[in-house]
Amino acid sequence: EAGVTQFPSHSVIEKGQTVTLRCDPISGHDNLYWYRRVMGKEIKFLLHFVKESKQDESGMPNNRFLAERTGGTYSTLKVQPAELEDSGVYFCASSQGLAGSPGRVEQFFGPGTRLTVL
Amino acid sequence: GQNIDQPTEMTATEGAIVQINCTYQTSGFNGLFWYQQHAGEAPTFLSYNVLDGLEEKGRFSSFLSRSKGYSYLLLKELQMKDSASYLCAVRFPSGGSYIPTFGRGTSLIVHP
């Protein structure tokens, strides 16, 4: 079974440019999450999709970030325009299980996209 | 916010035992995960604790005390390949679901 995949693995852009990151979750996983890790800091939650709906986007830093999950399959995260502080590793994760379930809901992570904004 | 604290770095010898601690604020707690992350790779699931006590899985065990807001990951018979970052993540309610809050990770270095 294929795991969570992310594209690209690395992206180097200049301040003010636009970048779109893609995540393909494990097939059949309704829950999809985006996280970001800035160097030296912890992994931070950005948002959570259940199928195509945004369940929780409380972690999105500002309106320069736009996430979509059309059709409830893959997801994209667009940063426009990119700023220096957006540099970091962007992880995607997916899980089975119902949103709001109090039980164990294991998240499977992708390898991340390393974004560098110059 | 919910602070998750774990040591930044630990070193240990091959074949030894190491314990990595994690403390968190208890309000709203709904489960604790441990992940292993090798450099440049995805975090991979190691364990999940929601009730007090010890969960053992091969060379790895994880302990939880909900009243103390404390967990540890115990690694036995250390191998060189265990050198990695170990992430403690605690689930708290958020937006109608349960989202893990991560610690900064503990970088474990295993030497011969």
Side-chain angles (χ1 to χ4, degrees):
Chain A
E1 179 184 339
V4 177
T5 58
Q6 293 186 243
F7 181 83
S9 57
H10 293 80
S11 180
V12 181
I13 62 173
E14 293 189 350
K15 176 181 171 181
Q17 289 185 321
T18 297
V19 63
T20 300
L21 313 181
R22 174 172 170 143
C23 168
D24 286 77
I26 292 173
S27 177
H29 282 191
D30 288 341
N31 294 279
L32 187 149
Y33 310 81
W34 282 99
Y35 294 89
R36 176 173 73 174
R37 185 168 199 173
V38 173
M39 184 178 293
K41 302 243 174 134
E42 66 275 19
I43 295 175
K44 283 207 166 176
F45 167 78
L46 296 178
L47 88 160
H48 170 208
F49 283 100
V50 178
K51 297 185 180 178
E52 67 275 9
S53 300
K54 291 176 185 174
Q55 176 78 17
D56 182 356
E57 52 184 331
S58 61
M60 294 287 264
N62 51 61
N63 59 9
R64 294 186 294 104
F65 289 75
L66 175 64
E68 295 180 321
R69 193 184 181 195
T70 306
T73 54
Y74 71 91
S75 174
T76 58
L77 179 65
K78 181 192 288 188
V79 185
Q80 179 183 31
E83 298 289 344
L84 299 179
E85 64 264 26
D86 300 333
S87 295
V89 181
Y90 289 77
F91 290 102
C92 174
S94 71
S95 68
Q96 282 183 318
L98 298 172
S101 167
R104 164 183 162 170
V105 180
E106 179 183 343
Q107 295 187 347
F108 296 84
F109 281 80
T113 293
R114 181 173 295 279
L115 175 64
T116 302
V117 183
L118 303 176
Chain B
Q2 292 90 359
N3 293 325
I4 313 294
D5 291 316
Q6 48 181 134
T8 303
E9 186 176 292
M10 299 182 72
T11 59
T13 305
E14 192 176 15
I17 299 173
V18 71
Q19 177 175 311
I20 303 174
N21 296 325
C22 172
T23 59
Y24 61 90
Q25 294 176 283
T26 59
S27 176
F29 171 86
N30 198 272
L32 185 146
F33 294 86
W34 283 97
Y35 286 86
Q36 179 191 61
Q37 186 181 20
H38 286 100
E41 297 182 8
T44 55
F45 171 82
L46 289 178
S47 66
Y48 173 72
N49 295 71
V50 68
L51 299 176
D52 291 349
L54 187 68
E55 296 272 345
E56 296 186 79
K57 190 189 295 185
R59 295 189 298 114
F60 293 4
S61 303
S62 57
F63 172 83
L64 176 67
S65 169
R66 288 172 295 171
S67 62
K68 295 181 180 178
Y70 167 69
S71 172
Y72 67 72
L73 180 69
L74 191 72
L75 293 77
K76 303 176 186 176
E77 301 169 19
L78 281 172
Q79 302 175 8
M80 298 297 289
K81 67 179 182 179
D82 297 331
S83 293
S85 181
Y86 291 85
L87 307 172
C88 173
V90 179
R91 288 198 335 161
F92 297 101
S94 177
S97 185
Y98 296 87
I99 299 298
T101 298
F102 284 84
R104 294 192 179 193
T106 298
S107 178
L108 174 65
I109 301 168
V110 180
H111 55 83

